[in-house]
Amino acid sequence: MTAVRALLHSHPEHISQADAISRCIDACFNCVETCTACADACLAEKHIEKLISCVRLNLDCASVCTATGHVVTRANKAGHRQLQEAQLTTCIAFCRACAAECARHAATHQHCAVCAEVCNACATACTNLLTSMRMPA
Amino acid sequence: MTAVRALLHSHPEHISQADAISRCIDACFNCVETCTACADACLAEKHIEKLISCVRLNLDCASVCTATGHVVTRANKAGHRQLQEAQLTTCIAFCRACAAECARHAATHQHCAVCAEVCNACATACTNLLTSMRMPA
Amino acid sequence: MTAVRALLHSHPEHISQADAISRCIDACFNCVETCTACADACLAEKHIEKLISCVRLNLDCASVCTATGHVVTRANKAGHRQLQEAQLTTCIAFCRACAAECARHAATHQHCAVCAEVCNACATACTNLLTSMRMPA
Amino acid sequence: MTAVRALLHSHPEHISQADAISRCIDACFNCVETCTACADACLAEKHIEKLISCVRLNLDCASVCTATGHVVTRANKAGHRQLQEAQLTTCIAFCRACAAECARHAATHQHCAVCAEVCNACATACTNLLTSMRMPA
């Protein structure tokens, strides 16, 4: 069990999708880590001029995933469900776009291959949480 | 002229809505400042138990505005227009929700009155940027 | 191997302490997750008035660990070693202070027990990286 | 009066250096804005390979100033003065380093000239707050 999952299970409020939420939080911050590191690795590549869009999408994706990780952590209020859904939907779009850009460089740059995989995993975790939020409890 | 506006005007790429973008960035980080400070002020109030939703929305709004401020700064690539629009739309929803919650406490707590005004101003700046992005250049 | 560790090992620059760095990054973002969640859990506790300092330290620690996770990811330039050391030293101070505050509530609140442990683990990972940076390569 | 200054003056706790604190917060987030924008402008320059260190320092400085802006906002507890001082001291070091790097490119790139000025202004605001914190109230 990850630390945040243990923590959400000891939250004084009943959190109905604690497992899906904690998986989403872990996926978001994992994506923050790899996108930040992939941007830095791109900056060190010889043909940096071909990777400018990749750096920008990496940085954008890291920023949006940070916000999603925060917002989803406080996902325990029925009244804010629409806000959560908006944030998750936006995050999925950034993760998919960053994964697609990184995938273009995956054959040449192993860091982009790793990053694409983590971005896709984050999009999946966000999608799973969205789905579970929309199901009757 | 604010610093970021001067900076965007010296950006080597042509940035077609530099003024609307810089106003949006300034509004986002102004909102980060006031939401963070309003959350802290709420924590110091006698009847904190009535302000829990306000603290949470303040923190969420600060996180989302931080992401928006970053993403909009890199808003110079036509290819990513849909991502920008998704982020701006989500940000507007959080700012409106936080402004509405703060407005409920504005008569009692001056910090909530200030914060509501700044959140609404941020929603307006994001809306203006969205509108100008959708107009033919 | 965690994703960021795999990524740092495929970084085009030679990163001399890639393992210590990736462990530090993972520990920092783990701490961001638990501090953010612990602050939210505290807000839901009946006796929130006893936990105000804990909420504030949780939020501070999350902010500082976010910065440390970013800065350490770019820790591949000899010229900036003093900056890295300053950030790591500051981060250790926040993690220790947050761990100490959470430990005071650990018997009553399981989320504080989890958070204290993660904060201490982050302080240790930062300390280990500091030590390895100061050793001759 | 800036919004955060108005807000701190309506904070229920007595904040002894509200003006120095609000000036520091404004300076920090102004620095976040310009460093983020300067990093993006550098990415668009023809000779990006000469600006890699500048991009990295810009991103580091933005991350550290974000943390400082948050931490200083909650600077109302005597017990945490040492933590505040550590964060401010670290932030000054990053701002000075980023200003120095940007100054090297100021003659060629106007965005670096703007950014250097804002980084130095942030270092000054942090220094002023540090000084006022150490003076007897």
Side-chain angles (χ1 to χ4, degrees), chain C residues 8 31 33 56 77 81 107 112 114 117:
Chain C
L8 291 185
C31 202
E33 293 188 19
R56 283 172 168 161
K77 286 301 189 194
R81 215 181 72 173
C112 284
V114 174
E117 201 179 329

Side-chain angles (χ1 to χ4, degrees), chain A residues 89-102:
Chain A
T89 304
T90 298
C91 192
I92 292 165
F94 276 89
C95 289
R96 293 283 180 222
C98 191
E101 178 64 31
C102 277

Side-chain angles (χ1 to χ4, degrees), chain C residues 83-127:
Chain C
L83 295 178
Q84 307 275 343
E85 290 183 0
Q87 182 62 36
L88 285 166
T89 304
T90 297
C91 192
I92 292 165
F94 275 88
C95 288
R96 293 282 181 223
C98 192
E101 179 63 32
C102 276
R104 291 181 56 228
H105 313 288
T108 336
H109 304 309
Q110 178 61 14
H111 53 83
C112 284
V114 174
C115 194
E117 201 179 329
V118 173
C119 288
N120 275 325
C122 187
T124 300
C126 290
T127 305

Side-chain angles (χ1 to χ4, degrees), chain A residues 68-102:
Chain A
T68 307
H70 288 169
V71 165
V72 163
T73 303
R74 293 183 280 265
N76 41 21
K77 286 301 188 193
H80 299 157
R81 215 182 70 173
Q82 282 181 308
L83 296 177
Q84 307 277 343
E85 291 183 1
Q87 182 62 37
L88 286 165
T89 304
T90 298
C91 192
I92 292 165
F94 276 89
C95 289
R96 293 283 180 222
C98 191
E101 178 64 31
C102 277

Side-chain angles (χ1 to χ4, degrees), chain B residues 33, chain D residues 22-32 65 118 121-123 125-126:
Chain B
E33 293 187 18
Chain D
S22 63
R23 273 192 291 265
C24 182
I25 296 169
D26 284 329
C28 282
F29 285 105
N30 206 22
C31 202
V32 172
C65 285
V118 173
C122 187
C126 290

Side-chain angles (χ1 to χ4, degrees), chain C residues 26-46:
Chain C
D26 284 328
C28 280
F29 285 105
N30 206 22
C31 202
V32 172
E33 293 188 19
T34 53
C35 283
T36 305
C38 190
D40 192 71
C42 287
L43 286 174
E45 291 291 350
K46 213 174 184 173

Side-chain angles (χ1 to χ4, degrees), chain A residues 2-4 6-8 10-13 15 22 25-27 29-30 32-38 40-45 59 62 66 69-70 73-76 109-112 114-115 118, chain C residues 2-4 6-8 10-13 15 22 25-27 29-30 32-38 40-45 59 62 66 69-70 73-76 109-112 114-115 118:
Chain A
T2 68
V4 77
L7 209 149
L8 290 186
S10 66
H11 196 292
E13 290 171 324
I15 302 186
S22 63
I25 296 168
D26 284 329
F29 285 106
N30 205 22
V32 172
E33 293 186 20
T34 53
C35 284
T36 306
C38 189
D40 193 70
C42 287
L43 286 173
E45 292 292 350
L59 295 174
T66 300
H70 288 169
T73 303
R74 293 183 280 265
N76 41 21
H109 303 310
Q110 177 61 15
H111 52 83
C112 284
V114 174
C115 194
V118 173
Chain C
T2 69
V4 77
L7 209 149
L8 291 185
S10 65
H11 196 292
E13 291 172 322
I15 302 187
S22 63
I25 295 169
D26 284 328
F29 285 105
N30 206 22
V32 172
E33 293 188 19
T34 53
C35 283
T36 305
C38 190
D40 192 71
C42 287
L43 286 174
E45 291 291 350
L59 295 175
T66 300
H70 289 170
T73 303
R74 294 182 280 265
N76 40 21
H109 304 309
Q110 178 61 14
H111 53 83
C112 284
V114 174
C115 194
V118 173

